[in-house]
Amino acid sequence: MKKRLYLELENCIGCRSCLAACTQCGGHEERNRNYVYDVNPLVNRQTMPLMCLHCVNPACARSCPAQAIQIHETGAVLSALVEKCIGCQNCTIACPYGIPKFDTEQNLMYKCDLCIDRSKDGIPPMCASVCPSNTLQWLTDEEIEAKQKQFNLDNGKWVTSMPYLEGETNVRVNLPGILQGVTKLF
Amino acid sequence: MQRDNYKNERDKYFKEIENLNHPNETLVKTHCSYCAMQCGMNLRVNTKTNKIIGVEPRYDWPVTLGKMCPKGVTAYQQVNNKDRLLKPLIRDDQSLKGTKNGFREASWDEAYDLIVKKFTELQTTYGKDSLSVYSGVSMTNEKCYLTGKFARVGLQTRYIDYNGRFCMASAAGGLNRSLGIDRGSTIPWTDVHETDCIFLAGSNTAECHPTMMFRVWAIQERGGYVIVADPRETPVARRADLHLDLKPGTDLALANGIVNLLIQNGYADEEFVKNHTNGFEETKELVKEFTPEYTSEITGVAPEKIIRAAELYGKAPNAIVMFARGIEQQIKGVDNVSAYTNMALVTGKIGRAKSGVATITGQGNGQGGREHGQKADALPGYRKIANPDHVKYVSKVWGIEPEEMPKEGVSAFEMFGLMEQKTIRSLYLLCSNPAVSAPDQNYVREQMKNLDFMVCVDFFLSESAEFADVVLPTTTWAEDEGTTTNVEGRIIKINRAQMPLGESKPDWQIQIEIAERLGRGKYFSHLKTSKDVFNELRVASKGGTADYYGVTWEKIDKQDGVFWPCKDESDPGTPHLFLDKKFNHPDGKAKILALPYRPSAEEPDEKYPLRLTTGRVVYHYLSGNQTRRIQFLRDMCPEPFVEVHPETAEKYSIEHEEYVRLYTRRGEATYKVKITEAIRKDTVFVPYHWGHEKSINLLTIGALDPYSRMPEFKTCAAQIEKMKTRAVQ
Ligand code: SF4
Ligand code: SF4
Ligand code: SF4
Ligand code: SF4
């Protein structure tokens, strides 16, 4: 059963375990490929992860003059092929979320590959495995649909962001605010 | 106490997930080395080098399902860390005590010979009790148990205590007094997400026990409530339905205020109170005074919030009260624990699934480590030295005469007082780092420096090792096997993934070898493996409150852990306590306690107008001796800081990231300012994971709770001073 990365940003507690976990995946050379931001550091402790959304029509890959960014059959947008990447950094500018990172020493781009050594066999990526708050989850489409029903508001005031932020993405995102639709038990 | 039918608690979150298996690697199932969540993990071991090289989630561990905080993810990097101690170290020049300098490598034989010579000399001249053992609970039950026996039978001293005095002693005292038993949680953690209201008091849950957060958030997703009492708007408080932003040190008033409203507004369960508790009427009388307005005056929490908290907790069909070091590290920590437990006892929300009381245990084996006799007054199975029958039983297991059993000693912090008086002249320190973690550091360091002889057993050269004459290299958690007892009271198995690095040895082996050289081998030499030690522990705890007799390593594997009490081989253990509403006091009733409010040891005044409170960050564990050596964690949080509210900062004309001098009556230090609205205006916060001149414990107070002897880390009076020239770090 196909599973996807699903983000529920409201849950994030800023522990940055996702960053630690990303350093642990095969082929990651102990460098993490994701980000966690303090939303308003002088005010409160709100944080949010920023992850590659694995765009269906990825701007990073389109912008690459050397076709170094391959798309895996699962839809995962892979990190640049070492032998093809020319270090032009077009992708870092093209990505609407600023995801690709650049290694100036090796003159090489690197980015989230959805832990392809795991996710190709349906094993959850490292970040989604460890995330203590369930901000990052690895779910089937049915489970995601249930989430969508659970959190979509019918009061016309506010709807969470699923299915897409900008273009179509393989990763599904729920912005903060999911609890606004919850009916309290008492 | 009635048992529930043990079922392998696999809740709705449980999924069958296969692990990624890399070629030439095996996975060894174990648990994290750090906090009492004891997250399940697999260690990746290279089958060619037989070395631990990484971590893989343990999806089938029912409590944490593969989740880990950043400490857990990187925990394996301790094992083959470049800072590991590989050989015993001896320092001949005593004038270098208190520094890293002067150590030379030595053989185990030379180190043992020196230890035995010094211990014997001191005991011959000054008596048996001139030696002391200061231990910790970030190690297995086997080690904790043997350390107690080592002190009392091997060294024959009464002076043994442990770092749980800084961690769990108040919770233990309060729970024993209220419920008659000290198992940290009355429910398994797989109940947490199913409750309707969770009341978290003095717990920075998201940073200190992150992997329970998915269960906390799930309560809100179902329409339930999260209430947090904390001076700071921690990450869990930020999303809570209600944040009770109290002044540090005023929990007792808040709890009394809420209990008053629960009673006044008809949320008391009269049947339950009548049949299963004592003390309701006295308590009702005492808390009357704690009207929302009066409670607000003391705590600084708005009256409406106090009223709302009582209403939510009172209305909830099921509710859990949880607390942690925030309420416990106070001179009234034991009272705070009992006062918050009163909420559950008055409303009858205890003794059933999804409702109850829990302290969120700090150290990995904070529960098991306090049960088996390394506490100054305790013997295995939660027995007491003050009880002659208990002494008789344990003496028999140990093969000594009851008269030979040393008397009660003193608490961890009080041992430093005895060092000052020269009653204690030597220290055997293991699994702890008091040169960072004890309060009033200037005093504590002075006492360690003046010891006649000190041994430190650790796998890194800690700040405390800098005071030692001999440092013995021990193993990390992944190089030995044994059991720990997690936050729930579930006994679990730690497995060995690698052979000991260098010449390091597990603590239990070191202690047996020293005992043998002191001529006490006949009490120890039959213990050849940690499993032998566990089997002796089972017998020693048999019939005690914390009865482990029915727990075997095999049963732990088969059942995903065993909850104590577990009395015999056929007993599956006890996940829920008090299902039959029988509490562990002789009359079977719990105690609702009338607890008058009293102020903190040091209230703010004109000279020291701020309240200083201390705590942790998610990236570091306890004294930081382990986590500060791990690159990722160090990068995330390289140095301490002081959190200051923007209005307070303006008053002192200090800015974000500026260095300031923070001082109290006991000491001072320089910290980088972190401006945040997520703290009270009258309070500043500094995390305590650093040593030397950066230690916030240079400033904290050594005032102790009268029952638990736990220091008041959570509040003292402080002042900030702007620096004339900016300090360069
Ligand atoms: S692991 Fe989860 S909770 Fe922690 S920072 Fe990453 S997304 Fe947030
Ligand atoms: S989010 Fe950015 S890096 Fe990821 S696939 Fe889309 S364009 Fe590429
Ligand atoms: S999916 Fe894998 S590569 Fe991508 S951010 Fe998560 S851990 Fe890193
Ligand atoms: S430190 Fe605690 S929460 Fe973090 S991984 Fe270890 S046991 Fe789990």
Side-chain angles (χ1 to χ4, degrees), chain A residues 17 29 37 42 45 53 74 85 96 103 112 116 134 136 150 155 158 160 175:
Chain A
S17 199
E29 291 169 356
Y37 281 107
L42 299 184
R45 299 290 301 272
L53 298 183
T74 57
C85 179
D103 177 340
C112 165
I116 197 67
N134 273 350
L136 310 175
Q150 185 185 350
N155 63 6
W158 200 90
T160 53
L175 292 176

Side-chain angles (χ1 to χ4, degrees), chain A residues 8 10-11 13-17 20 24 42-46 118 129-132 134 143 179 184-186, chain B residues 15 56 59 67-70 76 196 207 210 214 217 221-225 239 241 619 632 676-678:
Chain A
E8 217 162 83
E10 179 81 46
N11 298 347
I13 54 173
C15 69
R16 291 172 171 80
S17 199
Q24 300 298 308
L42 299 184
V43 176
N44 64 25
R45 299 290 301 272
Q46 187 178 11
R118 309 174 72 85
S129 300
V130 303
C131 175
N134 273 350
E143 287 168 318
L179 292 176
K184 284 294 188 184
L185 290 172
F186 53 89
Chain B
K15 288 180 183 172
E56 168 72 19
Y59 299 110
K67 297 174 182 305
M68 286 175 270
C69 81
Y76 77 90
D196 306 311
E207 291 198 80
F214 71 104
W217 290 160
E221 280 181 29
R222 275 184 28 255
Y225 292 88
R239 189 178 131 170
D241 296 272
Y619 308 110
F632 179 84
T676 176
E677 288 176 23

Side-chain angles (χ1 to χ4, degrees), chain A residues 5 18-19 21-25 28 31-35 50-52 54 111-119 124-128 136 138:
Chain A
L5 189 61
C18 49
L19 307 189
C22 190
T23 65
Q24 300 298 308
C25 333
H28 280 193
R31 292 182 304 193
N32 66 285
R33 287 117 201 272
N34 41 6
Y35 308 78
L50 184 62
M51 316 287 287
C52 171
H54 295 275
K111 69 175 281 295
C112 165
D113 60 359
L114 204 64
C115 292
I116 197 67
D117 59 338
R118 309 174 72 85
S119 62
M126 280 301 281
C127 56
L136 310 175
W138 183 246

Side-chain angles (χ1 to χ4, degrees), chain B residues 32 34-35 37-39 68-69 71-72 209-211:
Chain B
C32 177
Y34 300 119
C35 86
M37 286 303 296
Q38 287 292 283
C39 298
M68 286 175 270
C69 81
K71 297 183 293 296
H209 301 87
T211 51

